[in-house]
Amino acid sequence: MSSEVSSAGATRGRPRSDQVDQAILRAASALLSERGLDAMTIEDVAARAGVGKSSIYRRWPTKGTLALDAFLDAFLAQQPRVDNGALEDDLREALTLWSAAVVGTATGRALVGLIAESQLDEDLARGWIARVMTPVRAQHRTMVDRAMQRGEIPADSDVDVIMDLLYGAVYHRLLQGHLAITSEFIGLVARMVAEGAKSGAAVVR
Amino acid sequence: MSSEVSSAGATRGRPRSDQVDQAILRAASALLSERGLDAMTIEDVAARAGVGKSSIYRRWPTKGTLALDAFLDAFLAQQPRVDNGALEDDLREALTLWSAAVVGTATGRALVGLIAESQLDEDLARGWIARVMTPVRAQHRTMVDRAMQRGEIPADSDVDVIMDLLYGAVYHRLLQGHLAITSEFIGLVARMVAEGAKSGAAVVR
Amino acid sequence: MSSEVSSAGATRGRPRSDQVDQAILRAASALLSERGLDAMTIEDVAARAGVGKSSIYRRWPTKGTLALDAFLDAFLAQQPRVDNGALEDDLREALTLWSAAVVGTATGRALVGLIAESQLDEDLARGWIARVMTPVRAQHRTMVDRAMQRGEIPADSDVDVIMDLLYGAVYHRLLQGHLAITSEFIGLVARMVAEGAKSGAAVVR
Amino acid sequence: MSSEVSSAGATRGRPRSDQVDQAILRAASALLSERGLDAMTIEDVAARAGVGKSSIYRRWPTKGTLALDAFLDAFLAQQPRVDNGALEDDLREALTLWSAAVVGTATGRALVGLIAESQLDEDLARGWIARVMTPVRAQHRTMVDRAMQRGEIPADSDVDVIMDLLYGAVYHRLLQGHLAITSEFIGLVARMVAEGAKSGAAVVR
DNA sequence: CCCTAAACGAGACGGTACGTCTAGTCTTATG
DNA sequence: CATAAGACTAGACGTACCGTCTCGTTTAGGG
């Protein structure tokens, strides 16, 4: 978000300080965890980082985009690859790891806040898709790809739909809060999605 | 939300005016549709309704709860019962109706804003579950109940999980915005959920 | 400046609080004396008065107009009438009293700051003329009027010019700071203006 | 102001560029005329001159001192010597020329802004006296000196007082703005000062 | 002819105050 | 008592400049 590749080699003027980058991200990350996105103000971040407000606005256009970068520091590579040889097992394990990272944690509260904020902040919405959704889906998509290669599910399955069902269910409970995300729930979701996929239901006819 | 039953019959002083109730709701509803929840300020609602701010705060504790009431005016009974004799058809039709009401409409924007806001406003979160989630789910749950009675799916299926998969998928795309909600998508979701349910995957073992 | 006569008797809404008025003026006055107009910030005034910034902006459009009101509290009626029976004596005493109030005092620094600020703030410039220049000149003008009635100076003298010469000289030294305002200087100024007036030089031919 | 004589002959390193000097002064002068001293920011001057901010700060400690140099470019030698053989005539002509240069002109606005700023900037105040007041007064003082040599006014008159009366009056109207500077006003001022001086009123007894 | 120290442009840096906005509460006069 | 109006404290917003500080890049003199 803050990275802008200089087209030419023209680096004129005083270069941005990495220390400042780090100080801001650390402060933002801390406040995000402690108080949530809503209570994280730019002014507090600046004060906590020992930085002028303009140094923040120079780098991030909105609170959300800053929070996204701060969030990624914590969320980075927290979703490891899994491979159990069977689709249902892979799906269950992926969901279990996801829920461990997210349910009842500071990371989870930050994630929910970012989704809420991204409804209002177009920059954030784009960044969210590009830097969270896409990588995480790419990572998890390999589970489904392997199942297709194994012949466990049809080769022409719509992977996106499978992943939307899988993650949609847990995000739904996380965001609406109408029911708890238990291991039983995760087990049922994984089994249903796997069964549905095996039956060829995800093939576009 | 706004109704507070006076415990005794003691109704002293000037009674609350229904006209004021209506004026506030009409103004809130209009602003909600026009500009979204975030840009709908209590001050604007008061001005548009020709009402003092305190008359709003007397009735609703937060912006979100007011917006919820305003939203329900529009959303009320917009989700009709369907019955086609086959689970997949019922699910597809329900999703289709839901998406027609929500995708790209003012109602949809309001719905998304309310979900976002409910992450910050506990009163709203409770109201949202009680007054939107619960009724809509109850209404749609009958589709699954009928399928169980027909023997189309196992009698001990976990209906909540089925519904979370069904609605989770579409809410996911609505909130994350990573992919469009097309009729193909709806078709695949309905088919996969129906197939998964039929295979007995939703039964708690 | 802050007084606005309500055209009708319509006093709707919560009335402005006199306590707030006083608190703001007291704080502004203190800061004006301590640090001068330039270092007197609206934020400091609000903090010192225990008042929201908007309560200041509601009353005064600019820092200058607030400072003017604060200044008048201190300057009010500090320029008493004098009457010695001879124009030169009157002029000298008036200048002496003025310089005592202004040279090397907090009031003087405030006065100089206000004149400087009034070059940038049209509202303040108007207020300064209406509420400082005009009253003070009216008060001192009586000295010249009496001299005309006595026949000491021609009856058709231009009183404005006489006063501009008198006060112009001391303001000049006060603002330019090129030379000190001594009692000798004041004596010479008073004498020259009195002599010039007696010689009929101030009569428009 | 910008000239600093190097004590030894040690002029090592890259010498200051005259082009830069000129570019800064030209930009400052333009902005000073267009928008006044208050709206002339160092940042704008640098941008307009195509110069780094540090090149300005290297030469001038404050905005005021820069503005003074910029002002002098325009004001330089704009106040020519006059000699009519009679004090009153000389005074009137000097005031007339001064008012032509200053009343309602960009130069006048700059002058007023500089006087205002010099109340806050000690460096500027010193520079103002040394580089504007003193030269202009020295120039105009010759009028009074000639009158003394001619015997038109007493030889022991206090020339400073005479000049403070003369210029005090017009500066007063210029800065306070309570009354216009008309040719009638100038005529009366010149006559009164001349008459007062002739009567020996400016002699210290 | 190279060396080196200062000037140069650009622009980042920590600050500060601005004037605006909204929140939610409080205080009037009027119904 | 409810109401419309609007003042109240509080505090974040995003902007604008300040005066200082790094950068990489000239540009001259002195060796």
Side-chain angles (χ1 to χ4, degrees):
Chain A
M1 206 107 276
S2 65
S3 68
E4 279 154 31
V5 182
S6 45
S7 48
T11 14
R12 303 225 285 173
R14 178 174 177 174
R16 300 252 173 105
S17 158
D18 269 1
Q19 283 193 314
V20 171
D21 278 59
Q22 295 310 315
I24 294 172
L25 283 173
R26 244 179 295 124
S29 199
L31 289 167
L32 190 58
S33 301
E34 287 167 24
R35 312 217 271 258
L37 176 57
D38 191 56
M40 171 193 120
T41 66
I42 297 281
E43 295 212 320
D44 282 352
V45 173
R48 164 100 74 142
V51 142
K53 281 201 289 178
S54 44
S55 291
I56 299 181
Y57 283 113
R58 200 175 291 123
R59 287 167 168 78
W60 291 277
T62 62
K63 184 166 79 165
T65 50
L66 165 58
L68 176 55
D69 278 4
F71 172 77
L72 282 171
D73 269 9
F75 198 67
L76 209 127
Q78 207 175 26
Q79 301 296 310
R81 256 154 265 257
V82 295
D83 188 352
N84 297 293
L87 181 58
E88 184 183 329
D89 293 341
D90 280 2
L91 298 183
R92 186 172 45 249
E93 188 177 344
L95 287 188
T96 302
L97 290 172
W98 179 89
S99 78
V102 149
V103 175
T105 65
T107 303
R109 259 170 287 128
L111 177 139
V112 165
L114 282 164
I115 294 171
E117 187 76 10
S118 75
Q119 309 303 326
L120 306 171
D121 178 344
E122 227 174 300
D123 274 341
L124 173 56
R126 269 190 293 273
W128 179 256
I129 292 172
R131 310 189 46 214
V132 179
M133 293 293 284
T134 305
V136 169
R137 281 173 82 95
Q139 204 167 347
H140 293 349
R141 161 173 250 127
T142 58
M143 301 182 302
V144 184
D145 288 339
R146 282 197 309 272
M148 289 197 289
Q149 282 163 1
R150 272 186 244 118
E152 198 179 349
I153 64 173
D156 52 356
S157 298
D158 187 322
V159 186
D160 278 322
V161 173
I162 294 173
M163 307 220 39
D164 285 336
L165 278 159
L166 189 70
Y167 283 99
V170 289
Y171 268 104
H172 198 47
R173 288 207 173 179
L174 183 71
L175 288 168
Q176 313 288 341
H178 58 295
L179 290 167
I181 299 176
T182 63
S183 59
E184 287 78 30
F185 171 68
I186 287 176
L188 289 175
V189 168
R191 203 195 306 154
M192 270 198 70
V193 172
E195 287 300 323
K198 284 178 195 166
S199 74
V203 177
V204 187
R205 283 164 197 166
Chain B
M1 202 108 275
S2 69
S3 67
E4 279 155 30
V5 182
S6 43
S7 50
T11 17
R12 305 220 292 166
R14 177 173 172 177
R16 296 227 182 126
S17 156
D18 266 3
Q19 284 192 316
V20 171
D21 280 60
Q22 294 311 313
I24 294 172
L25 283 173
R26 241 177 299 123
S29 198
L31 288 167
L32 190 58
S33 301
E34 286 167 25
R35 312 216 272 258
L37 176 55
D38 191 57
M40 169 192 124
T41 67
I42 297 282
E43 230 144 55
D44 282 351
V45 173
R48 164 100 75 140
V51 143
K53 281 203 289 178
S54 43
S55 292
I56 298 179
Y57 282 112
R58 202 173 291 121
R59 290 166 166 79
W60 291 276
T62 62
K63 183 166 80 167
T65 49
L66 164 59
L68 177 55
D69 278 5
F71 171 76
L72 282 170
D73 270 10
F75 197 66
L76 211 124
Q78 205 175 23
Q79 299 297 310
R81 254 154 268 255
V82 294
D83 188 354
N84 298 294
L87 181 57
E88 188 184 325
D89 293 343
D90 281 1
L91 298 182
R92 186 173 44 251
E93 188 175 346
L95 286 188
T96 301
L97 291 172
W98 178 91
S99 78
V102 150
V103 175
T105 65
T107 304
R109 262 171 284 129
L111 177 138
V112 165
L114 282 163
I115 293 172
E117 187 76 10
S118 76
Q119 309 302 327
L120 305 171
D121 179 342
E122 230 175 294
D123 274 340
L124 172 57
R126 268 193 293 275
W128 178 257
I129 292 172
R131 308 186 49 212
V132 179
M133 293 293 286
T134 305
V136 168
R137 281 172 83 94
Q139 203 168 346
H140 293 348
R141 162 172 248 128
T142 58
M143 300 182 300
V144 184
D145 288 340
R146 281 198 309 271
M148 288 197 289
Q149 283 162 5
R150 273 187 244 118
E152 196 178 351
I153 64 173
D156 50 358
S157 296
D158 187 323
V159 185
D160 278 321
V161 173
I162 294 172
M163 306 218 42
D164 285 337
L165 277 158
L166 189 70
Y167 284 100
V170 288
Y171 268 103
H172 198 47
R173 289 208 171 177
L174 183 70
L175 288 167
Q176 313 288 343
H178 58 297
L179 291 167
I181 300 176
T182 62
S183 58
E184 287 77 30
F185 172 68
I186 288 176
L188 289 174
V189 168
R191 203 194 309 153
M192 268 197 72
V193 172
E195 287 301 322
K198 284 179 194 164
S199 73
V203 177
V204 188
R205 283 165 195 165
Chain C
M1 205 110 273
S2 67
S3 66
E4 280 153 31
V5 183
S6 44
S7 49
T11 16
R12 303 225 288 173
R14 178 175 175 175
R16 301 253 173 101
S17 159
D18 268 2
Q19 283 193 314
V20 170
D21 279 60
Q22 294 309 315
I24 295 172
L25 283 174
R26 244 178 297 124
S29 199
L31 289 167
L32 190 59
S33 300
E34 287 168 24
R35 312 216 273 258
L37 176 56
D38 190 56
M40 171 193 121
T41 67
I42 296 281
E43 291 207 324
D44 282 352
V45 173
R48 165 100 74 139
V51 143
K53 281 202 287 178
S54 45
S55 291
I56 298 180
Y57 284 112
R58 199 174 293 120
R59 290 167 167 78
W60 291 278
T62 62
K63 184 165 80 165
T65 50
L66 164 58
L68 176 56
D69 278 5
F71 172 76
L72 283 171
D73 270 9
F75 198 67
L76 210 126
Q78 207 176 25
Q79 300 294 312
R81 254 155 267 254
V82 293
D83 188 352
N84 296 294
L87 179 58
E88 185 184 326
D89 293 342
D90 280 2
L91 297 182
R92 185 172 46 249
E93 187 176 347
L95 286 189
T96 301
L97 290 172
W98 178 91
S99 78
V102 150
V103 175
T105 66
T107 303
R109 260 170 287 130
L111 176 139
V112 165
L114 283 164
I115 293 172
E117 187 76 11
S118 75
Q119 310 301 327
L120 307 171
D121 178 345
E122 225 175 302
D123 274 340
L124 172 55
R126 269 192 291 275
W128 177 258
I129 292 172
R131 310 188 46 213
V132 179
M133 292 295 284
T134 305
V136 169
R137 281 172 83 94
Q139 203 167 347
H140 292 350
R141 162 174 248 125
T142 56
M143 300 183 301
V144 183
D145 287 340
R146 279 198 310 271
M148 289 197 288
Q149 283 162 1
R150 271 188 244 116
E152 198 178 350
I153 63 173
D156 51 356
S157 298
D158 187 323
V159 184
D160 278 321
V161 172
I162 294 172
M163 307 218 42
D164 285 337
L165 277 159
L166 189 70
Y167 283 100
V170 287
Y171 268 103
H172 197 47
R173 289 206 171 179
L174 182 71
L175 288 167
Q176 313 287 343
H178 57 297
L179 290 168
I181 300 178
T182 62
S183 58
E184 287 76 31
F185 172 67
I186 288 177
L188 289 175
V189 169
R191 204 195 305 154
M192 268 196 72
V193 172
E195 287 302 320
K198 282 179 195 168
S199 73
V203 178
V204 187
R205 281 165 199 165
Chain D
M1 200 110 274
S2 67
S3 69
E4 279 155 32
V5 182
S6 45
S7 49
T11 17
R12 303 225 294 166
R14 177 174 175 177
R16 299 238 178 115
S17 157
D18 267 3
Q19 283 194 315
V20 171
D21 280 59
Q22 294 311 313
I24 295 172
L25 283 174
R26 242 178 298 122
S29 198
L31 289 168
L32 189 59
S33 300
E34 285 168 26
R35 312 217 272 258
L37 176 55
D38 191 56
M40 169 192 124
T41 68
I42 296 282
E43 231 143 54
D44 282 353
V45 173
R48 164 101 73 140
V51 141
K53 281 202 289 176
S54 43
S55 290
I56 298 180
Y57 282 113
R58 201 174 291 121
R59 290 166 166 79
W60 292 276
T62 62
K63 182 167 80 167
T65 51
L66 165 58
L68 177 55
D69 278 5
F71 171 76
L72 283 172
D73 269 9
F75 197 67
L76 212 124
Q78 206 175 25
Q79 300 296 309
R81 253 155 269 254
V82 294
D83 186 354
N84 298 293
L87 181 57
E88 187 186 326
D89 293 342
D90 281 2
L91 298 182
R92 184 173 46 250
E93 188 176 346
L95 287 188
T96 302
L97 291 171
W98 178 90
S99 78
V102 149
V103 175
T105 66
T107 303
R109 261 171 285 128
L111 177 139
V112 164
L114 282 164
I115 293 171
E117 187 75 11
S118 75
Q119 310 302 326
L120 305 172
D121 179 344
E122 229 175 296
D123 274 340
L124 172 56
R126 267 192 294 273
W128 178 257
I129 291 172
R131 307 184 53 211
V132 179
M133 292 293 285
T134 305
V136 169
R137 281 171 83 93
Q139 204 168 346
H140 293 349
R141 165 173 247 127
T142 57
M143 301 183 298
V144 184
D145 288 339
R146 281 196 310 272
M148 289 197 288
Q149 284 162 0
R150 270 186 246 118
E152 197 179 350
I153 64 173
D156 52 355
S157 297
D158 187 323
V159 184
D160 279 321
V161 172
I162 292 172
M163 306 220 39
D164 286 336
L165 277 159
L166 189 71
Y167 283 100
V170 288
Y171 269 102
H172 198 46
R173 288 207 173 178
L174 183 70
L175 289 167
Q176 313 288 341
H178 57 296
L179 289 168
I181 300 178
T182 61
S183 58
E184 287 78 30
F185 171 68
I186 287 176
L188 289 175
V189 168
R191 202 194 309 153
M192 266 196 76
V193 172
E195 287 300 322
K198 284 178 196 168
S199 73
V203 177
V204 187
R205 283 162 195 168

